[in-house]
Amino acid sequence: MSDNGLTGQNAPVAAMAKRNLRNRLVRTRYASPDSYPVTALLPGHARQAAMSRICYFPGQKLFYARLPKCANSTIVRTMAHSWRPGLADVRINRLKSLFNVLPWRREFEAAAKITVLREPVERAVSAWLDKGHNPVFIGQHRYAGDLETIPTLEQFLIALRDNDYYRNGHYLPQLDMIPGAIEQYDVGTVERLEPFLERVCTTYFGRFMGLREVRHHATDSRKKKLEINARERSLIDELYGKDIVFYQSLLI
């Protein structure tokens, strides 16, 4: 996907055609996420979920490990807008597909790599407020034991631990979805997103056009985090302990 594919009225269509051709070539060579060199770096349970969330900019040689429940819609929109303001009005799901470009092994190894992490306890609470209260997900997973009951946070976390932990990328530990060593990444945080994206966009796209927030599924997770009890916190520690330790290291 070159810069020339992202100008003019038909830019998204042309760029998507290039993206589709590239990804078909990659998928022809690598039959599954288990054999694709990028996702093969991940734990087996995370490979399928990560495949559709890869975000790569070939012209900038920039790889973004896009993580669920970590402001990834805002990040993709902001980078796209800073690169080509004409993409600002493209639907966010379309943008995510547009930049779901699969790098070849050498491209990935040579790429600059970025990711953005979210405070793990807040992220777990956000997943409960979003997916745990969604009738479709309740019907699929029966977090509270039936098809309709909204689960408590404790019921939701127990269900993840005992049954559904690896069924959905929204629940996976953040570090499990980052290909390769975390030391290779420039790591930002949701809590300090704007200055991080300003630096990234200026470095790789030559300008920063401002934060483009996408808040379609915003939850009150920061406030609810303050209300969790010891049992709920213990379950979050059990599920996301590695994320918690690493995130705390960023604050030192």
Side-chain angles (χ1 to χ4, degrees), residues 153-166:
L153 177 57
E154 181 175 343
Q155 288 173 323
F156 177 77
L157 294 168
I158 289 173
L160 294 188
R161 182 195 66 187
D162 294 346
N163 302 294
D164 304 322
Y165 191 31
Y166 297 128

Side-chain angles (χ1 to χ4, degrees), residues 75-94:
I75 295 164
V76 170
R77 174 77 78 196
T78 298
M79 291 196 294
H81 183 61
S82 294
W83 186 13
R84 290 290 181 268
L87 294 176
D89 297 327
V90 176
R91 288 185 298 107
I92 187 59
N93 288 342
R94 178 83 166 164

Side-chain angles (χ1 to χ4, degrees), residues 121 124-125 157 228 232-241 244:
V121 178
V125 173
L157 294 168
I228 65 174
E232 292 162 346
R233 178 56 196 255
S234 177
L235 287 164
I236 292 173
D237 288 344
E238 181 179 351
L239 292 169
Y240 302 110
I244 292 170

Side-chain angles (χ1 to χ4, degrees), residues 120-223:
V121 178
E122 183 180 320
R123 179 174 179 261
V125 173
S126 177
W128 166 61
L129 291 171
D130 182 10
K131 307 305 177 186
H133 287 62
N134 185 304
V136 174
F137 282 82
I138 291 171
Q140 287 176 342
H141 303 295
R142 304 187 184 193
Y143 301 114
D146 60 53
L147 297 174
E148 298 180 351
T149 303
I150 295 175
T152 64
L153 177 57
E154 181 175 343
Q155 288 173 323
F156 177 77
L157 294 168
I158 289 173
L160 294 188
R161 182 195 66 187
D162 294 346
N163 302 294
D164 304 322
Y165 191 31
Y166 297 128
R167 291 190 186 183
N168 188 296
H170 290 86
Y171 311 141
L172 284 165
Q174 296 170 78
L175 294 182
D176 281 7
M177 296 197 52
I178 300 173
I182 189 65
E183 291 78 15
Q184 298 175 349
Y185 286 77
D186 186 359
V187 180
T189 66
V190 171
E191 290 70 28
R192 289 187 50 79
L193 184 59
E194 187 164 8
F196 177 77
L197 284 181
E198 181 176 7
R199 176 166 55 81
V200 167
C201 290
T202 301
T203 300
Y204 297 102
F205 305 126
R207 58 186 172 182
F208 176 63
M209 301 291 289
L211 197 66
R212 304 289 292 189
E213 290 196 78
V214 180
R215 299 178 61 83
H216 298 317
H217 303 290
T219 61
D220 196 15
S221 54
R222 192 162 298 177
K223 178 180 177 182

Side-chain angles (χ1 to χ4, degrees), residues 16 108 112 210:
M16 184 63 80
F108 174 75

